[in-house]
Amino acid sequence: MRQQVNGPAYGAIDLGTNNCRLLVAHPTANGFKVVDAFSRIVRLGEGLSRNGVLSDAAIDRTIEALQICVNKMQRRQVAYMRNVATQACREARNCAEFVERVEKEVRIKLDIIDPEEEARLAVLGCKALLDTRYSYAIVFDIGGGSTELIWLKIKKNRQPEIIGWTSVPYGVVNLSERYGTHDVIPAQDYLEMKNLVITALKSFEDKYNMRAHVDRGEVQLLGTSGTVTTLTSMHLDLEKYDRNQVDGTRVMSTHMQELCMELSRMTYEQRASRGGIGHDRAELVVAGCAILEAIMALWPIDQIRVADRGIREGVLLDLMAAHQPPQRKKYFRKRSRRKRSRTTEPSRKPAVATDMNQTRKEAVR
């Protein structure tokens, strides 16, 4: 059945350590309908772990990708947008200079969000895939410069409540640069990557005792990242990546582990030749596998639900809720009780002149 779209177009940019992603959508009765999208590996955080700054080459690649995003939003006459950036921009010493250059050349503002807001948006973006038969959920996002985990309770009204979240400074870009994954990575190095992540996540487990709920079968595992979607594409034996087949798929953890071990023993060229991986991800996927195996070792859950969605979708849902009359009134009532940072009204001009860089840290509704 064809979805009826209502109202203006909304845009969401998610600029991570590795990728620049865009979604443009119109609201519908049940959510939104995507009318345009873009994704490009820009490696903004390339060399960041060594030098502490964003390189000129990485900035140039990112500026080019952001300009494509803006051009698409102009064509779609986007009225409301929010452009978020995560770990690389949080970490880089020259982030302010980068943001200034984006404003000058691309004419949009970047909202550098903290890990808490990143977790909230990720959950909001993929909560439709949560199985309400479970009492709890662990949602993870393996990024380029960090990995986020969110511990959720599924309330009686079937809505997720964030109990706790954590961000550890290990992602596919910085681990790949540290250990080198162009050649076959030594088994000891792969194990060391895995143990680094386990050690970093142990305090999160100790604080919330999630393993006890896992052992009672009360917890589901939901993964949203290029690592899990790539592995799922391999599991489905897809020659070419297909989001419609990957998003929402359930994969046995044992199958994920087998794929991780297989990839960790391959060279870059062998990985690149596998269907569903390609050259862009072939160098980074082994580090992602080590991170994924660390998560599965700490919380041994039989299945992983795979989400090809996350922050962008969360941003869109947030914007649409803020600009629907009933929710908008409720939103401003809540905000009136605390100091408001930034608000922006819709511009008469298309997307370049419109910005929606407000950070909302309410619980996921």
Side-chain angles (χ1 to χ4, degrees):
M1 186 175 178
R2 191 174 181 180
Q3 289 180 306
Q4 183 177 358
V5 298
N6 301 293
Y10 294 76
I13 293 175
D14 170 19
L15 178 59
T17 303
N18 194 46
N19 288 79
C20 177
R21 301 181 177 97
L22 165 75
L23 279 184
V24 178
H26 287 278
T28 66
N30 300 316
F32 57 79
K33 178 180 175 59
V34 174
V35 294
D36 213 336
F38 174 74
S39 180
R40 176 177 289 182
I41 292 178
V42 295
R43 298 204 183 187
L44 178 61
E46 186 175 52
L48 179 60
S49 59
R50 293 191 303 269
N51 306 316
V53 296
L54 306 174
S55 71
D56 291 341
I59 289 174
D60 288 343
R61 292 193 298 266
T62 304
I63 293 285
E64 181 181 344
L66 288 171
Q67 187 61 63
I68 294 172
C69 294
V70 167
N71 292 343
K72 284 178 172 288
M73 288 192 285
Q74 282 183 303
R75 287 196 296 271
R76 297 293 182 176
Q77 296 184 316
V78 166
Y80 302 100
M81 73 162 94
R82 187 180 181 193
N83 316 303
V84 302
T86 55
Q87 183 64 24
C89 288
R90 290 194 293 260
E91 186 179 341
R93 294 197 304 269
N94 61 339
C95 176
E97 291 89 339
F98 168 62
V99 170
E100 184 179 348
R101 183 174 166 189
V102 169
E103 289 190 33
K104 181 179 178 181
E105 297 184 25
V106 190
R107 293 186 294 151
I108 58 172
K109 291 184 178 181
L110 289 177
D111 184 3
I112 315 303
I113 59 175
D114 60 28
E116 182 180 5
E117 174 70 352
E118 185 175 354
R120 187 187 73 85
L121 290 171
V123 171
L124 184 60
C126 64
K127 73 174 185 177
L129 295 179
L130 291 170
D131 190 334
T132 55
R133 294 174 297 178
Y134 291 87
S135 300
Y136 298 92
I138 298 171
V139 178
F140 65 89
D141 182 358
I142 302 171
S146 64
T147 294
E148 278 67 45
L149 272 93
I150 307 109
W151 175 229
L152 300 174
K153 181 175 178 61
I154 310 299
K155 298 190 293 185
K156 290 183 179 180
N157 63 0
R158 298 189 174 187
Q159 293 301 308
E161 176 187 1
I162 296 178
I163 302 172
W165 56 270
T166 189
S167 178
V168 297
Y170 300 114
V172 297
V173 173
N174 54 22
L175 281 183
S176 295
E177 289 180 348
R178 180 170 176 176
Y179 287 92
T181 54
H182 193 85
D183 298 320
V184 178
I185 185 168
Q188 185 58 40
D189 285 0
Y190 184 78
L191 180 62
E192 188 174 310
M193 280 196 287
K194 177 180 170 181
N195 287 336
L196 274 175
V197 180
I198 289 175
T199 301
L201 290 173
K202 188 66 168 57
S203 61
F204 188 57
E205 161 59 28
D206 291 343
K207 182 176 181 179
Y208 294 103
N209 194 23
M210 299 143 69
R211 180 63 181 264
H213 296 284
V214 170
D215 292 342
R216 290 196 290 268
E218 299 173 343
V219 185
Q220 59 190 296
L221 192 59
L222 176 63
T224 166
S225 71
T227 295
V228 292
T229 56
T230 297
L231 291 173
T232 303
S233 180
M234 289 179 62
H235 171 71
L236 296 173
D237 201 25
L238 301 179
E239 189 59 36
K240 186 178 180 182
Y241 185 82
D242 183 352
R243 181 189 184 276
N244 292 328
Q245 293 192 59
V246 171
D247 185 50
T249 297
R250 290 179 171 88
V251 183
M252 297 298 295
S253 296
T254 52
H255 294 159
M256 285 290 199
Q257 189 171 28
E258 289 168 4
L259 287 170
C260 287
M261 294 309 299
E262 179 184 348
L263 287 167
S264 71
R265 297 180 182 125
M266 291 181 177
T267 65
Y268 168 82
E269 293 299 336
Q270 289 171 328
R271 294 190 297 268
S273 66
R274 284 294 302 263
I277 297 182
H279 289 276
D280 285 340
R281 294 204 175 273
E283 189 175 351
L284 305 176
V285 70
V286 174
C289 286
I291 297 170
L292 177 58
E293 283 212 67
I295 293 169
M296 293 190 295
L298 277 169
W299 301 290
I301 298 169
D302 289 343
Q303 284 187 336
I304 299 175
R305 189 85 188 268
V306 178
D308 187 348
R309 59 180 80 189
I311 292 175
R312 291 178 302 172
E313 289 80 2
V315 169
L316 286 176
L317 290 169
D318 228 15
L319 287 175
M320 290 173 185
H323 290 84
Q324 293 297 315
Q327 288 91 338
R328 193 178 186 185
K329 290 179 183 177
K330 181 179 178 182
Y331 168 70
F332 281 109
R333 280 203 304 272
K334 287 183 179 180
R335 293 289 283 182
S336 66
R337 292 195 291 267
R338 67 184 79 149
K339 184 178 178 181
R340 288 169 56 189
S341 55
R342 294 180 230 164
T343 58
T344 307
E345 290 301 318
S347 170
R348 295 177 182 175
K349 296 181 180 180
V352 224
T354 307
D355 193 54
M356 191 67 182
N357 286 318
Q358 49 197 4
T359 301
R360 301 177 57 204
K361 298 192 177 176
E362 303 160 24
V364 175
R365 293 186 293 272

